[in-house]
Amino acid sequence: VSQSRYDTTFVDLSQEEIRQRFQTFHVGVGFENIKASAPVDYWVKTRLHTFSDFYDARELDWQSSGQFFFPLIPEKLLAKVQGEAYLTQRTDNYLDTPTRKRNLFRVYPSFSWNQAQWAISLGLKAVNEFDQINQISRTKGFPTVDITYKTPGLHYFSAGLDGDIVRNTLRGMIQENPFLMPQVDLLNTEKPLDVYVSAKGDLATGLTYFAKASYGAYRNLYFFQTSDLANGRGFLLRPFEITYEAEKIPFFRFETQWNYQPVELWRTNLKAMYQYFGVKSFSHAFHRPSVDITWGNTLLVSN
């Protein structure tokens, strides 16, 4: 007969010892062309996000983005230039850490050719990443290809190639998991390869579908794991820390969405996703579920 013993000591914690509070502020402005006959079409947006918590962790994130469209051959050949700039400053006074910069710049020129039922897009993403905390300064390029075929029944079938550097911010991590330990490590996630096929269209009146399958690789993919952290009274806390898969690992993802609106008043949609990560440094992909299903309904009320 085995006998287990558990620590049943009652611990009375004050609100100050377990308190956490987040403060966020957002402001933005945008401009876009509304003239149909303008030789250049464009839109530009800029946003400022501030984030702070009860333990003096702060993040200032300024985002600016824009797209410019140049019709080279009307209704056939289009040149597009997309630019993005992210200027981020992070401060965490929990350990008297000074303010550090984490910036990212992305320039994405591309050309699109439309001919009858076919549409082809070719481009190149140039991404510059600067991280003062982790002493990272690099520029990488990712070619992009997208080929789309449109059937007479307006079903769209696409295949393509993509890649990017995905920004990871403190504000984004807290939104995903608000129980993080202080001074978490922040690294961007690189997606060197993403090969995909997709389909979308209308199946019946009011019923639309979308499906996409992707295969590729990630580097510095993040996971959440619990960490042992003692407070000032010696009690062991179990907040989450962010850990990263430093090696390049494969992934597979399948996602689908179905929208149905039988009447003008009501709309329903069903989203489902399956994903697999070939982790190497961990036993499994912690806190990244293999299956995610979302069902939503919308009531439209108008006068």
Coordinates of all heavy atoms in Angstrom, one line a residue, residues 175-236:
Q175 N -1.5 39.5 -24.0 CA -2.8 39.2 -24.5 C -3.1 37.7 -24.7 O -4.2 37.2 -24.5 CB -3.1 39.9 -25.9 CG -3.2 41.4 -25.7 CD -3.3 42.2 -27.0 OE1 -3.0 41.6 -28.1 NE2 -3.7 43.4 -27.0
E176 N -2.0 37.0 -25.1 CA -2.2 35.5 -25.3 C -2.1 34.8 -24.0 O -2.8 33.8 -23.8 CB -1.0 35.0 -26.2 CG -1.2 33.6 -26.7 CD -0.3 33.2 -27.8 OE1 0.4 34.2 -28.4 OE2 -0.2 32.0 -28.1
N177 N -1.3 35.3 -23.0 CA -1.1 34.6 -21.7 C -0.8 35.7 -20.6 O 0.3 36.1 -20.5 CB 0.0 33.6 -21.7 CG 0.1 32.8 -20.5 OD1 -0.4 33.1 -19.4 ND2 0.8 31.6 -20.5
P178 N -1.8 36.1 -19.9 CA -1.6 37.2 -18.9 C -0.9 36.8 -17.6 O -0.7 37.6 -16.8 CB -3.1 37.7 -18.6 CG -3.9 36.4 -18.8 CD -3.3 35.7 -19.9
F179 N -0.5 35.5 -17.5 CA 0.1 35.0 -16.3 C 1.6 34.8 -16.5 O 2.2 33.8 -16.1 CB -0.5 33.7 -15.8 CG -2.0 33.9 -15.6 CD1 -2.9 33.4 -16.6 CD2 -2.5 34.5 -14.5 CE1 -4.3 33.5 -16.4 CE2 -3.9 34.7 -14.3 CZ -4.8 34.2 -15.3
L180 N 2.3 35.7 -17.2 CA 3.7 35.6 -17.4 C 4.5 36.1 -16.3 O 4.1 37.0 -15.5 CB 4.1 36.4 -18.7 CG 3.5 35.9 -20.0 CD1 4.0 36.8 -21.1 CD2 3.9 34.5 -20.3
M181 N 5.7 35.5 -16.1 CA 6.6 36.0 -15.1 C 7.3 37.3 -15.5 O 7.3 37.6 -16.7 CB 7.7 34.9 -14.8 CG 8.6 34.7 -16.0 SD 9.8 33.3 -15.7 CE 10.8 34.1 -14.5
P182 N 7.9 38.1 -14.6 CA 8.5 39.3 -15.0 C 9.8 39.0 -15.8 O 10.4 37.9 -15.7 CB 8.9 39.9 -13.6 CG 8.0 39.3 -12.6 CD 7.8 37.9 -13.1
Q183 N 10.2 40.0 -16.6 CA 11.4 39.9 -17.4 C 11.4 38.7 -18.3 O 12.5 38.0 -18.5 CB 12.6 39.8 -16.5 CG 13.0 41.1 -15.8 CD 14.2 41.8 -16.5 OE1 15.2 41.2 -16.7 NE2 14.0 43.1 -16.7
V184 N 10.3 38.4 -19.0 CA 10.3 37.3 -20.0 C 11.2 37.7 -21.2 O 11.4 38.8 -21.5 CB 8.9 37.0 -20.5 CG1 8.1 36.4 -19.4 CG2 8.3 38.2 -21.0
D185 N 11.8 36.7 -21.8 CA 12.6 36.9 -23.0 C 11.7 37.1 -24.2 O 10.7 36.3 -24.4 CB 13.5 35.6 -23.2 CG 14.6 35.5 -22.1 OD1 15.0 36.5 -21.6 OD2 15.0 34.3 -21.8
L186 N 12.0 38.0 -25.0 CA 11.3 38.3 -26.2 C 12.2 38.2 -27.4 O 13.2 38.8 -27.6 CB 10.7 39.7 -26.2 CG 9.5 40.0 -25.3 CD1 9.1 41.5 -25.3 CD2 8.4 39.1 -25.6
L187 N 11.8 37.3 -28.3 CA 12.5 37.1 -29.6 C 11.4 37.0 -30.7 O 10.3 36.5 -30.5 CB 13.3 35.8 -29.6 CG 14.5 35.7 -28.7 CD1 15.1 34.3 -28.7 CD2 15.6 36.7 -29.3
N188 N 11.7 37.5 -31.9 CA 10.8 37.4 -33.0 C 11.0 36.0 -33.6 O 12.0 35.3 -33.4 CB 11.2 38.4 -34.1 CG 10.9 39.8 -33.7 OD1 10.0 40.1 -32.9 ND2 11.6 40.8 -34.2
T189 N 9.9 35.5 -34.2 CA 9.8 34.2 -34.8 C 10.1 34.3 -36.3 O 9.4 35.1 -37.0 CB 8.5 33.5 -34.5 OG1 8.3 33.4 -33.1 CG2 8.4 32.2 -35.2
E190 N 11.0 33.5 -36.8 CA 11.3 33.5 -38.3 C 10.5 32.4 -38.9 O 10.5 31.3 -38.5 CB 12.8 33.4 -38.5 CG 13.1 33.4 -40.0 CD 14.6 33.1 -40.3 OE1 15.4 33.2 -39.3 OE2 15.0 32.9 -41.4
K191 N 9.9 32.7 -40.1 CA 9.2 31.7 -40.9 C 9.9 31.7 -42.2 O 9.5 32.4 -43.2 CB 7.7 32.0 -41.0 CG 7.0 31.0 -41.8 CD 5.5 31.2 -41.7 CE 5.0 32.5 -42.3 NZ 3.6 32.7 -42.4
P192 N 11.0 30.9 -42.3 CA 11.8 30.9 -43.6 C 11.0 30.3 -44.8 O 11.4 30.6 -45.9 CB 13.0 30.1 -43.3 CG 12.6 29.2 -42.1 CD 11.6 30.0 -41.3
L193 N 10.0 29.5 -44.5 CA 9.3 28.8 -45.6 C 7.9 28.5 -45.3 O 7.6 28.1 -44.2 CB 10.0 27.5 -46.0 CG 9.4 26.6 -47.1 CD1 9.5 27.3 -48.4 CD2 10.0 25.2 -47.1
D194 N 7.0 28.8 -46.2 CA 5.6 28.5 -46.1 C 5.0 28.3 -47.5 O 4.9 29.2 -48.3 CB 4.9 29.7 -45.4 CG 3.4 29.4 -45.2 OD1 2.9 28.3 -45.5 OD2 2.7 30.3 -44.6
V195 N 4.8 27.0 -47.7 CA 4.2 26.6 -49.0 C 2.7 26.2 -48.8 O 2.4 25.5 -47.8 CB 4.9 25.3 -49.6 CG1 4.3 24.9 -50.9 CG2 6.4 25.7 -49.8
Y196 N 1.8 26.7 -49.6 CA 0.4 26.6 -49.3 C -0.4 26.4 -50.5 O 0.0 26.7 -51.6 CB -0.1 27.8 -48.5 CG -0.1 29.1 -49.3 CD1 -1.1 29.5 -50.2 CD2 1.0 29.9 -49.2 CE1 -1.0 30.6 -50.9 CE2 1.1 31.1 -50.0 CZ 0.1 31.4 -50.8 OH 0.2 32.6 -51.6
V197 N -1.6 25.8 -50.3 CA -2.7 25.7 -51.3 C -4.0 26.1 -50.6 O -4.1 25.8 -49.4 CB -2.8 24.3 -51.9 CG1 -1.5 23.9 -52.7 CG2 -3.0 23.2 -50.8
S198 N -4.9 26.7 -51.4 CA -6.1 27.2 -50.8 C -7.2 27.2 -51.8 O -7.0 27.1 -53.0 CB -5.9 28.6 -50.2 OG -5.7 29.5 -51.2
A199 N -8.4 27.2 -51.3 CA -9.6 27.3 -52.1 C -10.7 28.1 -51.4 O -10.8 28.0 -50.2 CB -10.1 25.9 -52.4
K200 N -11.5 28.8 -52.2 CA -12.6 29.6 -51.6 C -13.7 29.8 -52.7 O -13.4 29.8 -53.9 CB -12.2 30.9 -51.0 CG -11.7 31.9 -52.0 CD -11.3 33.2 -51.4 CE -10.8 34.2 -52.4 NZ -10.4 35.5 -51.7
G201 N -14.9 30.0 -52.2 CA -16.0 30.3 -53.1 C -17.3 30.2 -52.5 O -17.5 30.0 -51.3
D202 N -18.4 30.2 -53.3 CA -19.8 30.1 -52.9 C -20.3 28.7 -53.3 O -20.2 28.3 -54.4 CB -20.7 31.1 -53.5 CG -20.2 32.5 -53.1 OD1 -19.5 32.7 -52.1 OD2 -20.6 33.5 -53.8
L203 N -20.9 28.0 -52.3 CA -21.5 26.7 -52.6 C -22.9 26.8 -52.9 O -23.5 26.0 -53.7 CB -21.2 25.7 -51.4 CG -19.8 25.3 -51.2 CD1 -19.7 24.3 -50.0 CD2 -19.2 24.6 -52.5
A204 N -23.6 27.7 -52.2 CA -25.0 27.9 -52.4 C -25.4 29.3 -52.0 O -24.5 30.1 -51.5 CB -25.9 26.9 -51.6
T205 N -26.6 29.7 -52.2 CA -27.0 31.1 -51.8 C -26.8 31.3 -50.3 O -27.3 30.5 -49.4 CB -28.5 31.3 -52.1 OG1 -28.7 31.1 -53.5 CG2 -28.9 32.7 -51.7
G206 N -25.9 32.2 -49.9 CA -25.6 32.5 -48.5 C -24.6 31.6 -47.9 O -24.3 31.8 -46.7
L207 N -24.0 30.6 -48.6 CA -23.1 29.7 -48.0 C -21.7 29.9 -48.7 O -21.6 29.6 -49.9 CB -23.6 28.2 -48.1 CG -22.6 27.2 -47.6 CD1 -22.3 27.3 -46.1 CD2 -23.2 25.8 -47.9
T208 N -20.7 30.3 -48.0 CA -19.4 30.4 -48.6 C -18.4 29.5 -47.8 O -18.6 29.2 -46.6 CB -18.9 31.9 -48.5 OG1 -18.8 32.3 -47.1 CG2 -19.9 32.8 -49.2
Y209 N -17.3 29.2 -48.4 CA -16.3 28.4 -47.7 C -14.9 28.9 -48.0 O -14.6 29.6 -49.0 CB -16.4 26.9 -48.2 CG -15.9 26.7 -49.6 CD1 -14.6 26.3 -49.9 CD2 -16.7 27.0 -50.7 CE1 -14.1 26.2 -51.2 CE2 -16.2 26.8 -52.0 CZ -14.9 26.4 -52.2 OH -14.4 26.3 -53.5
F210 N -13.9 28.5 -47.2 CA -12.5 28.8 -47.4 C -11.7 27.6 -46.7 O -12.0 27.2 -45.6 CB -12.1 30.1 -46.7 CG -10.6 30.3 -46.6 CD1 -9.9 30.7 -47.8 CD2 -9.9 30.1 -45.5 CE1 -8.5 30.9 -47.7 CE2 -8.5 30.3 -45.4 CZ -7.8 30.7 -46.5
A211 N -10.7 27.2 -47.4 CA -9.9 26.1 -46.9 C -8.4 26.3 -47.3 O -8.2 26.8 -48.5 CB -10.3 24.7 -47.4
K212 N -7.5 26.1 -46.4 CA -6.1 26.3 -46.7 C -5.2 25.3 -46.0 O -5.4 25.0 -44.8 CB -5.7 27.7 -46.3 CG -4.2 28.1 -46.6 CD -3.9 29.5 -46.2 CE -2.5 29.9 -46.5 NZ -2.2 31.3 -46.0
A213 N -4.2 24.7 -46.7 CA -3.3 23.8 -46.1 C -1.9 24.4 -46.3 O -1.6 24.9 -47.5 CB -3.4 22.4 -46.8
S214 N -1.1 24.4 -45.3 CA 0.3 25.0 -45.3 C 1.3 24.0 -44.8 O 1.0 23.3 -43.8 CB 0.3 26.3 -44.5 OG -0.7 27.2 -44.9
Y215 N 2.5 24.1 -45.4 CA 3.6 23.3 -44.9 C 4.8 24.2 -45.0 O 5.1 24.9 -46.0 CB 3.8 22.0 -45.7 CG 5.1 21.3 -45.3 CD1 5.1 20.4 -44.2 CD2 6.3 21.4 -46.0 CE1 6.2 19.8 -43.8 CE2 7.4 20.8 -45.6 CZ 7.4 20.0 -44.5 OH 8.6 19.3 -44.1
G216 N 5.7 24.2 -43.9 CA 6.8 25.0 -43.9 C 7.7 24.8 -42.7 O 7.8 23.7 -42.2
A217 N 8.4 25.9 -42.3 CA 9.3 25.8 -41.1 C 9.3 27.0 -40.3 O 9.0 28.1 -40.8 CB 10.7 25.5 -41.7
Y218 N 9.6 26.9 -39.0 CA 9.7 28.0 -38.1 C 11.1 27.9 -37.4 O 11.6 26.8 -37.3 CB 8.7 28.0 -37.0 CG 7.3 28.5 -37.4 CD1 6.2 27.6 -37.4 CD2 7.1 29.8 -37.8 CE1 4.9 28.1 -37.7 CE2 5.9 30.3 -38.1 CZ 4.8 29.4 -38.1 OH 3.5 29.9 -38.4
R219 N 11.6 29.1 -37.1 CA 12.8 29.2 -36.2 C 12.4 30.2 -35.1 O 11.9 31.2 -35.3 CB 14.0 29.6 -37.0 CG 15.3 29.7 -36.1 CD 16.5 30.1 -36.9 NE 17.0 29.0 -37.8 CZ 17.0 29.0 -39.1 NH1 16.4 30.1 -39.7 NH2 17.4 28.0 -39.8
N220 N 12.8 29.8 -33.9 CA 12.5 30.7 -32.7 C 11.0 30.7 -32.4 O 10.4 31.7 -32.0 CB 13.0 32.1 -32.8 CG 14.5 32.2 -32.6 OD1 15.1 31.3 -32.0 ND2 15.1 33.3 -33.0
L221 N 10.3 29.6 -32.7 CA 8.9 29.4 -32.3 C 8.8 29.4 -30.8 O 9.5 28.7 -30.1 CB 8.3 28.2 -32.9 CG 6.8 28.0 -32.7 CD1 6.0 29.1 -33.5 CD2 6.4 26.6 -33.2
Y222 N 7.8 30.2 -30.2 CA 7.7 30.3 -28.8 C 6.7 29.3 -28.2 O 5.7 29.0 -28.9 CB 7.4 31.7 -28.4 CG 6.1 32.2 -28.8 CD1 4.9 32.0 -28.0 CD2 5.9 32.9 -30.0 CE1 3.7 32.5 -28.4 CE2 4.7 33.4 -30.4 CZ 3.6 33.2 -29.6 OH 2.4 33.6 -30.1
F223 N 6.9 29.0 -26.9 CA 6.0 28.2 -26.2 C 5.9 28.7 -24.7 O 6.8 29.4 -24.3 CB 6.4 26.7 -26.1 CG 6.7 26.1 -27.4 CD1 7.9 26.0 -28.0 CD2 5.6 25.5 -28.2 CE1 8.1 25.4 -29.2 CE2 5.8 25.0 -29.4 CZ 7.1 24.9 -29.9
F224 N 4.8 28.4 -24.0 CA 4.7 28.8 -22.6 C 4.9 27.6 -21.7 O 4.3 26.6 -21.9 CB 3.3 29.4 -22.4 CG 3.0 30.7 -23.2 CD1 2.1 30.6 -24.2 CD2 3.7 31.8 -22.9 CE1 1.8 31.8 -25.0 CE2 3.4 33.0 -23.7 CZ 2.5 33.0 -24.7
Q225 N 5.7 27.8 -20.7 CA 6.0 26.8 -19.7 C 6.0 27.4 -18.3 O 6.4 28.5 -18.2 CB 7.3 26.1 -20.0 CG 7.4 25.2 -21.2 CD 8.7 24.4 -21.3 OE1 9.7 25.0 -21.7 NE2 8.7 23.2 -21.0
T226 N 5.5 26.6 -17.4 CA 5.5 27.1 -16.0 C 6.9 27.2 -15.4 O 7.8 26.4 -15.8 CB 4.6 26.3 -15.1 OG1 5.1 24.9 -15.2 CG2 3.2 26.3 -15.5
S227 N 7.1 28.2 -14.5 CA 8.5 28.4 -14.0 C 8.3 28.5 -12.5 O 7.4 29.1 -12.0 CB 9.1 29.6 -14.6 OG 10.3 29.9 -13.9
D228 N 9.3 28.0 -11.7 CA 9.3 28.2 -10.3 C 9.9 29.5 -9.9 O 11.1 29.8 -10.3 CB 10.2 27.1 -9.6 CG 9.6 25.7 -9.8 OD1 8.3 25.6 -10.0 OD2 10.3 24.7 -9.7
L229 N 9.1 30.3 -9.2 CA 9.6 31.7 -8.8 C 9.1 31.9 -7.4 O 7.9 31.9 -7.1 CB 9.0 32.7 -9.8 CG 9.4 34.2 -9.5 CD1 10.9 34.4 -9.8 CD2 8.6 35.1 -10.4
A230 N 10.0 32.2 -6.5 CA 9.7 32.5 -5.1 C 9.4 34.0 -4.9 O 10.2 34.8 -5.4 CB 10.8 32.0 -4.2
N231 N 8.4 34.3 -4.1 CA 8.2 35.7 -3.8 C 9.0 36.1 -2.5 O 9.8 35.3 -2.0 CB 6.7 35.9 -3.6 CG 6.1 35.2 -2.3 OD1 6.8 34.5 -1.7 ND2 4.9 35.5 -2.1
G232 N 8.7 37.3 -2.0 CA 9.5 37.8 -0.9 C 9.3 37.0 0.4 O 10.2 37.1 1.2
R233 N 8.3 36.3 0.5 CA 8.0 35.5 1.7 C 8.4 34.1 1.6 O 8.2 33.3 2.5 CB 6.5 35.6 2.1 CG 6.1 37.0 2.5 CD 4.6 37.1 2.6 NE 4.0 36.2 3.6 CZ 2.7 36.0 3.8 NH1 1.8 36.7 3.0 NH2 2.3 35.2 4.7
G234 N 9.0 33.7 0.5 CA 9.5 32.4 0.3 C 8.5 31.4 -0.3 O 8.8 30.2 -0.5
F235 N 7.3 31.9 -0.6 CA 6.3 31.0 -1.2 C 6.6 30.8 -2.7 O 7.0 31.7 -3.4 CB 4.9 31.6 -1.1 CG 4.5 31.7 0.4 CD1 3.9 32.9 0.8 CD2 4.6 30.7 1.3 CE1 3.6 33.1 2.1 CE2 4.2 30.8 2.6 CZ 3.7 32.0 3.0
L236 N 6.4 29.6 -3.2 CA 6.8 29.2 -4.5 C 5.6 29.6 -5.5 O 4.5 29.1 -5.3 CB 7.1 27.8 -4.7 CG 7.7 27.3 -6.0 CD1 9.0 28.0 -6.2 CD2 7.9 25.8 -6.0

